[in-house]
């Protein structure tokens, strides 16, 4: 019987609770009741995407976009190192908004069984996935032009950990609600179609060092890896996964769903031409 | 080389928390503004603080200290409510004071402070279209700074009469107790945009003194000083200051 890997779930839960606790502590600190030994940094200070949106301003003027600080850039550098090595593991293992969508998705799977994550017509689905690059371009452009973190007005991640503060724009709350409802039908809808940071990290899938690789000589073509992929990537049709949407969650590997040992694995090797 | 989930999990932890520890050791792990704005790194103003880096979390005293602008000028420019301690008042709280203004499609906030500071000191700053200033700030800039013709044209076009929007009529600005003064010091002889000539007379200022300051006979007593200045095309701020001196002299007398 296949061993179920729970390590990722533990790590996701840890980061979700950590960010929630820090966000609550941030509010408590402002009222003079902060919890000692726990960071009270603002969410913007800890989000590596802040590093992406401030890059233009930081390079050209040496200053930071409103609400962004050095820590966001430090986080971005760590995430870039991880992404060069392993692809967007930040999305699959750390991002609390992705975690929340996965939790809601578990409910969706119970309700819709095999139909879950298969509602969207393939043609529309494949085109819609590039929308997040438009979002990324828009966010970087408007932030560079204005020097203001306008994305916060539509950011469901900020809304998730600040909805009780009264500082969240209604538009961000609405997008969070849409994301949560959408996650009942589609696995990680925000990540798939809209997340600008996911779009940025997705680029690393093209040249990351550790890749998802399928050994064709032992593969029995059961299609389990492709069916299990939360991002609807046809792992079973590739030797090496370079899809920009892979989140390196490793669900497709022999550790999780692949029934044949050493067949779908997370490893180095394989050039760009291999597929 | 293969990698197992457990090892990957450890590497993720090491990269994130190790990255934080490493940047902390270099002094780079800053999660909040140091209240010291970044400086221009080249050109004529190299080494001087850059108004573009003023944050909403800066208090008026932070701005005053960083840029050497008298806090009184900042207080007067942004028409802070009388019971507010300007030293503790944060730039971002301007949005609360002028919340109603925001609902009408204009905004006075941190961007306005950046613009005011840049023009006050004559520092290079790319004006963002749609940045507004209170008329009081416009008056101070025209009096104390040396804005270019183009800048004057801009700030006059984007100057807003804000008296009716600030805390006197807007939703109450909730601030920490220590950010407020005791209130005991607030006397009733403080001139603001609503003060009428009748108020001045009630306080004991003679119509002769008022007329001397205005350079004309005292108008209808029920008219506010601010409205009078607007009607006559006079600058409110210097007249207000002179009248305030008269009012203050009553206490000393």
């Amino acid at each position: 019987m296949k061993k179920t890997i729970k390590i990722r779930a533990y790590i996701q839960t840890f980061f979700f609770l950590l960010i929630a606790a820090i966000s609550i502590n941030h509010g408590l600190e402002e009222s003079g009741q902060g919890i000692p030994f726990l960071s009270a940094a603002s969410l913007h200070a800890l989000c590596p995407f802040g590093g992406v949106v401030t890059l233009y301003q930081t390079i050209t003027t040496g200053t930071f976009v409103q609400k962004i600080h050095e820590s966001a850039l430090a986080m971005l550098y760590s995430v870039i190192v991880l992404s060069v090595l392993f692809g967007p593991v930040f999305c699959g293992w750390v991002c609390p908004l992705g975690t929340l969508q996965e939790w809601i998705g578990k409910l969706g799977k119970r309700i819709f069984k095999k139909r879950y994550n298969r509602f969207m017509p393939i043609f529309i689905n494949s085109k819609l996935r590039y929308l997040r690059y438009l979002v990324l371009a828009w966010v970087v452009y408007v932030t560079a032009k204005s020097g203001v973190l306008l994305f916060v007005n539509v950011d469901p991640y900020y809304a998730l950990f600040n909805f009780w503060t009264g500082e969240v724009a209604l538009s961000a709350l609405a997008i969070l609600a849409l994301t949560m409802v959408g996650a009942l039908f589609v696995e990680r809808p925000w990540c798939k179609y809209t997340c600008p940071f996911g779009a940025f990290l997705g680029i690393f899938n093209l040249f990351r060092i550790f890749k998802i690789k399928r050994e064709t000589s032992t593969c029995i073509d059961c299609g389990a890896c492709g069916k299990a992929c939360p991002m609807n990537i046809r792992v079973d049709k590739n030797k090496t996964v370079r899809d920009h949407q892979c989140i390196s969650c490793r669900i497709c590997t022999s550790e999780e769903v692949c029934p044949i040992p050493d067949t779908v694995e997370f490893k180095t090797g394989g050039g760009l031409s291999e597929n | 080389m293969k990698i197992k989930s457990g090892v990957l999990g450890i590497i993720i932890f090491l990269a994130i928390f190790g990255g934080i520890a490493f940047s902390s050791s270099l002094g780079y792990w800053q999660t909040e503004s140091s209240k010291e704005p970044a400086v221009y790194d080249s050109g004529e103003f190299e080494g001087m603080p850059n108004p573009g880096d003023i944050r909403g979390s800066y208090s008026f005293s932070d701005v005053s200290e960083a840029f050497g602008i008298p806090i009184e000028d900042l207080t007067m420019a942004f028409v802070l409510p009388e019971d507010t301690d300007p030293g503790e008042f944060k730039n971002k709280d301007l949005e609360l004071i002028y919340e109603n203004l925001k609902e009408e499609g204009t905004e006075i906030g941190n961007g306005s402070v950046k613009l005011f500071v840049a023009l006050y000191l004559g520092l290079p700053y790319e004006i963002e279209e749609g940045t507004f200033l209170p008329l009081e700030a416009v008056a101070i800039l025209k009096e104390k700074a040396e804005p270019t013709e183009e800048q004057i044209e801009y700030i006059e076009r984007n100057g807003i009469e804000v008296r009716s929007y600030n805390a006197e009529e807007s939703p109450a600005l909730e601030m920490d107790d220590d950010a407020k003064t005791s209130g005991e010091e607030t006397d009733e002889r403080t001139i603001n945009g609503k003060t009428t000539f009748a108020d001045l007379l009630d306080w004991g200022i003679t119509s002769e003194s008022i007329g001397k300051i205005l350079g004309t006979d005292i108008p209808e007593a029920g008219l506010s000083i601010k409205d009078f200045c607007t009607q006559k095309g006079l600058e409110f701020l210097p007249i207000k200051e002179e009248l305030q001196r008269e009012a203050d002299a009553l206490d000393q007398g």
Side-chain angles (χ1 to χ4, degrees):
Chain A
M1 190 175 151
K2 188 157 289 292
K3 181 174 64 174
T4 304
I5 304 300
K6 293 193 182 328
I7 294 167
R8 189 175 73 94
Y10 291 141
I11 291 175
Q12 285 180 297
T13 306
F14 170 81
F15 279 109
F16 186 95
L17 295 177
L18 179 67
I19 294 297
I22 290 174
S23 197
I24 291 167
N25 200 32
H26 180 66
L28 290 173
E29 177 111 315
E30 286 191 342
S31 61
Q33 299 170 311
I35 303 163
F37 313 115
L38 178 64
S39 170
S42 77
L43 213 55
H44 301 300
L46 301 176
C47 180
F49 187 54
V52 177
V53 296
T54 198
L55 266 180
Y56 174 81
Q57 184 169 321
T58 304
I59 290 168
T60 54
T61 68
T63 62
F64 287 84
V65 163
Q66 180 193 52
K67 297 178 181 173
I68 303 297
H69 307 289
E70 288 88 339
S71 54
L73 264 180
M75 286 289 289
L76 177 65
Y77 298 146
S78 293
V79 172
I80 285 177
V81 169
L82 281 172
S83 302
V84 169
L85 286 169
F86 309 112
V89 280
F90 178 83
C91 303
W93 293 64
V94 179
C95 177
L97 184 62
T99 302
L100 177 73
Q101 291 174 83
E102 278 193 26
W103 288 342
I104 296 172
K106 288 183 195 300
L107 183 63
K109 280 175 196 161
R110 286 195 174 198
I111 297 170
F112 299 112
K113 310 282 189 228
K114 288 183 178 177
R115 287 173 60 213
Y116 179 72
N117 206 23
R118 298 276 185 275
F119 290 101
M120 188 77 79
I122 292 172
F123 175 74
I124 297 172
N125 188 42
S126 60
K127 297 285 180 282
L128 215 52
R129 285 164 185 259
Y130 290 97
L131 177 64
R132 60 184 195 157
Y133 286 97
L134 289 180
V135 177
L136 174 64
W138 171 76
V139 175
V140 170
Y141 175 75
V142 295
T143 313
K145 200 165 185 322
S146 67
V148 176
L149 199 59
L150 295 172
F151 183 60
V152 74
N153 294 325
V154 292
D155 185 359
Y157 172 63
Y158 182 76
L160 174 61
F161 291 108
N162 284 278
F163 66 87
W164 60 85
T165 63
E167 292 178 4
V168 181
L170 275 178
S171 45
L173 286 171
I175 289 172
L176 174 63
L178 264 177
T179 300
M180 290 170 72
V181 172
L184 274 175
F185 302 90
V186 179
E187 188 109 43
R188 288 176 168 254
W190 172 258
C191 314
K192 246 177 221 168
Y193 306 119
T194 345
C195 180
F197 193 45
F200 173 76
L201 296 182
I203 295 167
F204 291 89
N205 277 321
L206 303 178
F207 53 82
R208 68 196 215 190
I209 294 169
F210 284 84
K211 307 172 184 77
I212 299 286
K213 294 178 72 70
R214 185 175 63 94
E215 180 51 61
T216 49
S217 62
T218 54
C219 180
I220 57 171
D221 294 321
C222 64
C225 49
K227 285 175 196 160
C229 177
M231 304 304 278
N232 305 97
I233 297 167
R234 293 302 304 269
V235 181
D236 53 319
K237 299 291 182 195
N238 291 280
K239 276 186 79 174
T240 301
V241 174
R242 286 199 188 83
D243 192 295
H244 67 100
Q245 291 228 313
C246 177
I247 54 171
S248 300
C249 63
R250 300 175 56 118
I251 289 174
C252 59
T253 63
S254 299
E255 279 185 77
E256 287 243 14
V257 301
C258 175
I260 311 297
D262 304 331
T263 296
V264 181
E265 291 187 299
F266 201 60
K267 61 184 182 181
T268 54
L272 280 173
S273 59
E274 186 185 338
N275 223 336
Chain B
M1 188 170 91
K2 297 175 189 175
I3 191 162
K4 296 280 184 190
S5 288
V7 176
L8 179 58
I10 291 167
I11 292 172
I12 289 170
F13 264 93
L14 284 177
I16 290 179
F17 292 105
I20 292 171
F22 180 65
S23 55
S24 293
S25 69
L26 297 176
Y28 195 72
W29 184 256
Q30 304 292 331
T31 59
E32 56 185 34
S33 166
S34 64
K35 315 298 184 198
E36 287 179 16
V39 296
Y40 294 102
D41 56 7
S42 61
E44 184 187 348
F45 297 94
E46 185 176 350
M48 288 188 69
N50 184 345
D53 198 38
I54 293 175
R55 307 302 181 93
S57 59
Y58 282 24
S59 69
F60 272 26
S61 64
D62 293 329
V63 176
S64 176
E65 280 174 29
F67 292 92
I69 296 176
I71 202 161
E72 295 77 23
D73 282 355
L74 288 166
T75 307
M76 208 176 287
F78 289 96
V79 200
L80 294 195
E82 288 169 14
D83 63 346
T84 304
D85 177 355
E88 297 291 330
F89 184 84
K90 291 181 176 171
N91 297 348
K92 64 182 177 184
D93 291 333
L94 285 170
E95 290 179 24
L96 293 175
I97 291 182
Y98 299 118
E99 197 174 349
N100 293 344
L101 199 60
K102 196 173 180 181
E103 286 168 9
E104 292 175 15
T106 52
E107 182 177 317
I108 289 182
N110 189 49
S112 310
V113 179
K114 289 182 183 181
L115 175 62
F116 179 78
V117 170
L119 297 189
Y120 191 102
L121 298 174
L123 294 171
Y125 180 70
E126 192 175 334
I127 298 178
E128 290 161 20
E129 194 58 42
T131 305
F132 296 89
L133 288 174
L135 285 177
E136 285 77 357
V138 174
I140 290 176
L141 289 174
K142 287 164 74 176
E143 183 189 333
K144 297 193 172 182
E146 294 174 357
T148 63
E149 290 290 319
E150 192 183 352
Q151 288 169 339
I152 290 174
E153 192 273 325
Y154 180 87
I155 59 178
E156 283 183 339
R157 182 161 38 91
N158 288 285
I160 299 179
E161 161 58 61
V162 297
R163 285 283 173 191
S164 59
Y165 288 100
N166 75 12
E168 292 162 26
E169 291 186 4
S170 294
L173 173 65
E174 291 179 14
M175 297 182 67
D176 296 341
D177 289 341
D178 61 358
K180 294 184 174 182
T181 57
S182 66
E184 290 169 6
E185 294 166 13
T186 309
D187 62 40
E188 292 173 357
R189 290 175 183 161
T190 303
I191 298 170
N192 59 35
K194 290 179 177 174
T195 307
T196 63
F197 291 103
D199 293 330
L200 299 181
L201 295 169
D202 286 346
W203 295 349
I205 303 176
T206 63
S207 55
E208 190 183 12
S209 307
I210 298 170
K212 202 173 171 185
I213 291 169
L214 298 180
T216 176
D217 288 342
I218 184 166
E220 183 193 337
L223 186 68
S224 75
I225 304 161
K226 176 86 180 172
D227 289 344
F228 168 79
C229 292
T230 308
Q231 284 175 14
K232 298 289 181 187
L234 300 170
E235 286 191 24
F236 172 61
L237 194 66
I239 289 175
K240 176 194 161 186
E241 284 175 347
E242 280 196 60
L243 289 169
Q244 188 64 59
R245 272 195 288 277
E246 286 288 322
D248 294 343
L250 293 172
D251 291 331
Q252 290 158 11

